[in-house]
Amino acid sequence: MRQLLDLGCRFPDQQHSLPGEARFERHVKLFSGIDLSSRASIGSFSYSWSHISPVIKSIGRYCSIAHSISFGEFEHPIDRFTTSAITFDYGMFEEAAFGTNYRTQGFSEDSRFFKQIEIGHDVWIGSGAYVRAGVKLGTGCIIGGRSIVTKDVPPYAVVVGNPGRIIKYRFDEKTIERLLKSEWWKYKFTDFVDIDFRKIEQFLELIESGNLKVFDEIFF
């Protein structure tokens, strides 16, 4: 049976760890649970309405994850006579029933084709999207609702459709470069309350001034 952290769990006060070695910075909100076997690291001011499975390696800060998102699990090998788990997971059908001599050439626990998903900072994933295992979602990118994402997404790209395709970037190349270089996610949002959020230049000048204090440690 899948073990889940209770629905609606929140971590508002301090860094937390789970038995499965998952790590949370302050102010993380998970509304649909997380596997206790997860080892994910999740940054401050991020929330998810979708279940966090072990396939997720990391979620940066300020991420917005909607409901009903499917995060792809490990993939079966396709270069063997069968895609069945008999060639890579001998425990699937209770090894003891066949004896310990049942092994195929190249058999290994390391051949599970298990790749993890990495989600950068300030990533927004719309409801009903599918993200393939092993994909990296760059900082600032947007994944449209019901999109099918099978490839890495660069920073600040907007991806929609099936298959997912980049339709535009949120900002021009120079602004994207400045945002990434500023690493603004290192700071808490209350430092920005006097800024008009629509004025990117004003925001960047504040970050680049060097007058803000970094908010705790960053896991990644």
Side-chain angles (χ1 to χ4, degrees), residues 9-83:
C9 61
R10 303 184 181 199
F11 302 102
D13 300 320
Q14 57 188 348
Q15 294 176 355
H16 287 259
S17 294
L18 291 176
E21 300 181 14
R23 297 179 299 164
F24 302 82
E25 290 189 316
R26 299 186 191 184
H27 309 289
V28 169
K29 297 184 179 181
L30 304 178
F31 299 106
S32 292
I34 180 173
D35 272 82
L36 291 181
S37 61
S38 172
R39 296 184 179 182
S41 55
I42 305 177
S44 294
F45 314 118
S46 288
Y47 66 85
S48 176
W49 288 96
S50 294
H51 168 69
I52 303 301
S53 73
V55 75
I56 297 177
K57 180 178 181 179
S58 59
I59 298 174
R61 291 182 170 185
Y62 294 99
C63 288
S64 306
I65 301 176
H67 63 84
S68 303
I69 295 170
S70 178
F71 295 106
E73 300 292 343
F74 72 89
E75 299 184 5
H76 292 223
I78 62 174
D79 60 345
R80 306 175 185 185
F81 74 91
T82 177
T83 58

Side-chain angles (χ1 to χ4, degrees), residues 74-156:
F74 72 89
E75 299 184 5
H76 292 223
I78 62 174
D79 60 345
R80 306 175 185 185
F81 74 91
T82 177
T83 58
S84 169
I86 65 168
T87 70
F88 61 88
D89 187 356
Y90 66 88
M92 176 65 72
F93 299 105
E94 300 179 4
E95 178 197 13
F98 301 98
T100 57
N101 292 326
Y102 174 66
R103 295 296 174 103
T104 58
Q105 185 175 358
F107 184 97
S108 172
E109 287 293 328
D110 295 329
S111 62
R112 288 176 177 268
F113 293 77
F114 186 81
K115 300 178 181 179
Q116 291 186 291
I117 295 169
E118 297 180 40
I119 301 174
H121 306 281
D122 186 33
V123 172
W124 174 24
I125 308 177
S127 62
Y130 170 81
V131 182
R132 184 181 184 183
V135 164
K136 295 181 180 180
L137 303 181
T139 288
C141 75
I142 297 174
I143 308 301
R146 301 189 182 280
S147 297
I148 306 297
V149 182
T150 61
K151 299 179 180 179
D152 292 353
V153 178
Y156 290 94

Side-chain angles (χ1 to χ4, degrees), residues 195-207:
I195 297 293
D196 184 335
F197 293 144
R198 295 166 295 185
K199 297 181 178 179
I200 305 301
E201 182 66 28
Q202 184 182 11
F203 173 75
L204 283 168
E205 288 178 356
L206 172 65
I207 301 298

